[in-house]
Amino acid sequence: MPESLKLTCLACGQANRVPAERLGAGPKCGTCGAGLVTGKVAAIDAAIHAKAKGDDLPLVVDYWAAWCGPCRAMAPEFARASETLKGRVRFAKLDTEAAPKVSQQLGIRGIPLLILWRGGRELGRAAGQRPAAQIVQFLQDKAGAGPR
C-alpha cells in the first residue's frame, strides 16, 4: 500500500490525502469534517461517483433504485458487509433513477448491481441480491479485502 492514499470525501466530493497508517484512526475530510473511512454506506451522486471511483482505497458502489424490491432487501446486507470491511473498502450507493447517465455510461441493465472500483479502474461486478457473506467474498476475491 502506498504511504498516502487519495480519498474523495463521499459527503462533499473534496479530494484528501491520508497517510496509510492513519486509515484506522478515523480520518476526516479537510473541508467538511465528514469521516472518510467510516464503515458506513454513503449515498453519493453522479459528481462524487466520478471522483471517488479513482481513489486509492477500493470503493464498492451499489447501483440501486427505490422501487426495486431486491435492492431494498439487500441494503441491510450491504451495510453489514461495510462494517465488516471498514478500513479496507469503502461502500457507497448510487440511485440509478437520480443518475441515469451513469447507468447508461456503465451499461447497467439490471439492479441491484455492485461494481468495485480502485484507481479509476473497474475491478469487478456482481449482479443481483446477495447476503453480506457473499458481498465480502466478492470483495476479497476481487480486491484482496477480506476481514481481519
Side-chain angles (χ1 to χ4, degrees), residues 39 41 60 62 70-85 91 112 114 128-137 139:
V41 178
V60 62
D62 175 15
C71 298
R72 290 192 317 271
M74 189 174 76
E77 298 297 317
F78 193 63
R80 204 167 294 122
S82 177
E83 293 168 8
T84 301
L85 296 175
F91 285 65
L114 303 178
Q129 179 183 345
R130 53 195 64 236
Q134 285 184 8
I135 295 168
V136 169
Q137 186 64 53
L139 296 171

Side-chain angles (χ1 to χ4, degrees), residues 104-137:
Q104 185 179 29
Q105 290 168 345
L106 297 176
I108 295 174
R109 304 232 187 305
I111 53 174
L113 175 67
L114 303 178
I115 300 181
L116 178 63
W117 300 95
R118 182 173 50 209
R121 292 185 50 232
E122 182 180 318
L123 300 180
R125 290 183 181 214
Q129 179 183 345
R130 53 195 64 236
Q134 285 184 8
I135 295 168
V136 169
Q137 186 64 53

